Amino acid sequence: MSKNQQMRKLEDFENPRIVPLQGTLFAASFFLMKLLPARFMLERATERGDLKPGATICESSSGTFGLALAMLAVQQHHPLLLVSDWALDRHLQRRLTELGARVSIVEVPAASGGLQRARLERLSAYLDDLPGSYWPCQYDNPDNPLSYGKVAALLIDRVGPVDCLVGPVGSGGSMCGIARNLRALFPELHTVGVDTPNSVLFGQPSGRINLSGLGGNILPANVDHTQFDEIHWLTPAEAYEATHDLHRRHGLFMGPTSGAAFRAAGWWADRNPGKTVIALMPDEGHRYVDTVYDPQWLASIPGWPNSVRDAPVTVSTPADPMPGWSRFEWNRRTLKAVLGPGDASI
């Protein structure tokens, strides 16, 4: 069996379920979305000769991309080294260890770029110490968004023309990759990116991010700002409330980034009746049982549940303070065009 055949053992888990929610609003509900780009990146790296048999795979991840790599690495007999931080869920860390991954935890954020920058600096040192190692680099690797052409084709096959695509933005791979492919057929496609306050991806001042899987303190090359028509920012409390609402109303047991996408997609669908809307939901809720789905843990979250907004407030600039659900008309512009050339975050 070839290495590519080994990688495709998990291919059946890559595709989302297309679940009707209400009217013409659908969920693209993934078991583990990051399996698709992880498998595709490793496959392409093997074809190019960048990933040699038995070479160590090194990556920075505190979430599902690391889990996807661990699942693939164990099948392909590659050692895996993951650099993460204190936000790594203890159950996920236990699962990564069970799969044979070595996990290195960063405790102190970098002066600029926070924990993400500190993780990348440590990763760089490991890559220097491990000759022949391979770094998938999900934030900047063009194979990440390229892999999502498969999902775009599936959406077209299952629901036909798509009017609006809504999804969380982290590395930029899923939203930018799917939008780019859909617009080849549907140039009027409206896209809604979902972020969280203190994330620099769409111009917020950098700060501590308390919502795993959303946003970041560094700007990935795979975030193509010109793909977005509007951006919504939800606080952790708002994302968690929406996650419970999704479960109670539709039986979908998903993670908080899925809840955030559900909330923004429902708001847009209500204002655009008859339009076909797809909400991307990246992973299931099993690793959040002791957090997002635990009432005692939720009680410790600032603003829970009293500060949850029922609708977004439209802001005049992405740099505005965002104490609750906010939105901004991006209009497919570059980050520089929105923020201005003198902005230090660009």
Side-chain angles (χ1 to χ4, degrees), residues 21 28 41 73 75 87-88 101 115 126 145 153 168 192 211-212 219 226 253 256 293 307 309 327 341 345:
L21 298 181
M41 281 187 262
Q75 290 194 344
L88 179 65
L115 286 167
Y126 281 127
V192 180
L211 188 51
S212 177
L219 185 58
T226 64
F253 186 59
Y293 288 97
S307 67
R309 289 178 174 171
R327 68 180 286 274
S345 63

Side-chain angles (χ1 to χ4, degrees), residues 61-67 82-98 103-107 115 119 209-213 240 255-256 283-294 297:
S61 174
S62 60
T64 54
F65 188 71
L67 176 58
L82 292 172
V83 180
S84 192
D85 56 53
W86 57 265
L88 179 65
D89 175 77
R90 63 188 178 92
H91 297 295
L92 176 57
Q93 184 169 358
R94 187 180 304 157
R95 186 173 178 187
L96 293 170
T97 302
E98 174 74 14
V103 182
S104 177
I105 301 295
V106 170
E107 301 286 351
L115 286 167
R119 281 167 25 191
I209 296 172
N210 295 311
L211 188 51
S212 177
Y240 301 152
D283 67 333
E284 296 184 330
H286 305 289
R287 71 187 184 101
Y288 308 101
V289 169
D290 289 342
T291 53
V292 177
Y293 288 97
D294 179 69
W297 184 88

Side-chain angles (χ1 to χ4, degrees), residues 68-337:
L69 285 177
M71 294 169 69
L72 292 163
V74 75
Q75 290 194 344
Q76 300 167 38
H77 310 292
H78 283 287
L80 175 64
L81 191 155
L82 292 172
V83 180
S84 192
D85 56 53
W86 57 265
L88 179 65
D89 175 77
R90 63 188 178 92
H91 297 295
L92 176 57
Q93 184 169 358
R94 187 180 304 157
R95 186 173 178 187
L96 293 170
T97 302
E98 174 74 14
L99 287 168
R102 176 185 171 190
V103 182
S104 177
I105 301 295
V106 170
E107 301 286 351
V108 180
S112 175
L115 286 167
Q116 277 184 295
R117 177 60 59 192
R119 281 167 25 191
L120 290 173
E121 290 171 355
R122 183 175 295 186
L123 177 66
S124 178
Y126 281 127
L127 290 167
D128 289 341
D129 291 341
L130 294 167
S133 55
Y134 172 69
W135 178 24
C137 190
Q138 65 161 326
Y139 299 121
D140 299 339
N141 190 333
D143 287 336
N144 181 355
L146 189 62
S147 70
Y148 285 98
K150 175 184 179 183
V151 177
L154 176 66
L155 295 177
I156 295 169
D157 180 65
R158 294 290 302 277
V159 304
V162 179
D163 297 300
C164 181
L165 178 72
V166 184
V169 184
S171 72
S174 57
M175 275 298 291
C176 297
I178 297 172
R180 197 174 290 128
N181 278 276
L182 288 178
R183 281 211 174 103
L185 289 178
F186 316 120
E188 299 305 313
L189 173 77
H190 190 88
T191 54
V192 180
V194 181
D195 201 356
T196 193
N198 302 326
S199 161
V200 305
L201 299 192
F202 294 94
Q204 272 279 282
S206 180
R208 179 166 171 170
I209 296 172
N210 295 311
L211 188 51
S212 177
L214 266 186
N217 293 124
I218 59 174
L219 185 58
N222 280 329
V223 176
D224 178 0
H225 295 87
T226 64
Q227 293 296 327
F228 295 93
D229 292 286
E230 64 183 275
I231 305 300
H232 288 232
W233 293 263
L234 279 80
T235 66
E238 288 165 336
Y240 301 152
E241 191 278 333
T243 304
H244 282 269
D245 191 36
L246 175 65
H247 191 210
R248 288 190 299 261
R249 292 173 59 190
H250 301 290
L252 290 179
F253 186 59
M254 308 301 292
T257 59
S258 300
F262 168 63
R263 180 62 78 242
W267 179 87
W268 197 92
D270 286 344
R271 281 148 188 79
N272 296 272
K275 299 289 188 180
T276 299
V277 184
I278 304 290
L280 300 181
M281 300 188 177
D283 67 333
E284 296 184 330
H286 305 289
R287 71 187 184 101
Y288 308 101
V289 169
D290 289 342
T291 53
V292 177
Y293 288 97
D294 179 69
Q296 290 185 331
W297 184 88
L298 282 173
S300 69
I301 299 301
W304 177 266
N306 298 324
S307 67
V308 173
R309 289 178 174 171
D310 294 329
V313 171
T314 299
V315 295
S316 59
T317 169
D320 281 357
M322 295 183 182
W325 184 7
S326 306
R327 68 180 286 274
F328 178 78
E329 296 282 355
W330 199 270
N331 296 324
R332 305 191 195 182
R333 291 174 288 173
T334 65
L335 187 60
K336 183 178 290 187

